[in-house]
């Protein structure tokens, strides 16, 4: 039993760690449409997109709406960080211009004072865009 369990534990510990992952960069200012100033209470929210392989050349844009306000256009390998006040907020993701198709979706998030959250933007083929909480 131990001989079988030991290799499984070692393999599962490494399974979720990407090797040589390039660093993501912030969304450039020309694609930031709304600002969210820091307030007395609230927390930072970050939305990230994974980079694509250089040889694929897919440059799909995704739009991020915060409380029904178009806020960011995010490309592969980028992230957007913004400060939201305490309470419930709706973060919607939708396809922008580009060759990719996807159905929009939204996530209601509850922001608590000082507790930052991080999300990954996922776009499965033929499915809805969605935010997956990673932290």
């Amino acid at each position: 039993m131990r001989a079988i369990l030991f290799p499984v534990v070692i393999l599962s510990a490494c399974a979720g760690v990407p090797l040589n992952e390039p660093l993501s960069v912030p969304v450039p200012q020309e694609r930031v449409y709304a600002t969210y100033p820091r307030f007395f209470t609230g927390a930072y929210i970050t939305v990230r997109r994974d980079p694509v392989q250089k040889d694929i050349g897919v440059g799909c844009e995704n739009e991020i709406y915060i409380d029904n306000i178009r806020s960011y256009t995010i490309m592969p390998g980028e992230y957007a960080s913004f400060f939201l006040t305490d309470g419930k907020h709706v973060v919607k993701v939708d396809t922008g211009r580009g060759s990719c198709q996807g159905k929009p979706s939204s996530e209601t998030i509850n922001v608590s004072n000082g507790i930052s959250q991080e999300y990954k933007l996922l776009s499965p083929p033929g499915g809805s865009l969605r935010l997956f909480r990673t932290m």
Side-chain angles (χ1 to χ4, degrees):
M1 178 79 171
R2 285 185 183 170
I4 295 172
L5 184 59
F6 183 69
V8 171
V9 171
I10 289 175
L11 289 175
S12 66
C14 298
V17 180
L19 298 176
N20 299 326
E21 180 179 328
L23 299 175
S24 55
V25 296
V27 172
Q29 279 301 117
E30 64 265 12
R31 288 190 269 118
V32 175
Y33 310 115
T35 58
Y36 299 89
R38 188 174 168 147
F39 197 66
F40 295 109
T41 60
Y44 282 96
I45 309 299
T46 301
V47 177
R48 293 186 186 279
R49 278 191 70 187
D50 284 338
V52 295
Q53 294 179 357
K54 299 276 187 217
D55 54 344
I56 293 177
V58 177
C60 304
E61 295 180 355
N62 289 131
E63 304 289 337
I64 299 175
Y65 294 80
I66 301 168
D67 295 329
N68 268 341
I69 298 171
R70 182 179 176 217
S71 302
Y72 299 92
T73 298
I74 188 169
M75 300 292 286
E78 295 180 343
Y79 70 90
S81 281
F82 43 91
F83 190 88
L84 294 179
T85 56
D86 284 356
K88 291 188 180 195
H89 297 273
V90 177
V91 178
K92 176 184 167 187
V93 290
D94 197 356
T95 55
R97 298 177 304 225
S99 59
C100 297
Q101 299 294 319
K103 300 172 190 157
S105 72
S106 61
E107 181 83 22
T108 301
I109 60 173
N110 192 16
V111 177
S112 296
N113 189 32
I115 301 175
S116 296
Q117 299 176 41
E118 187 168 314
Y119 293 86
K120 186 181 215 179
L121 181 58
L122 301 174
S123 55
S128 295
L129 295 169
R130 68 184 200 104
L131 294 173
F132 177 75
R133 186 168 178 180
T134 59
M135 181 178 90

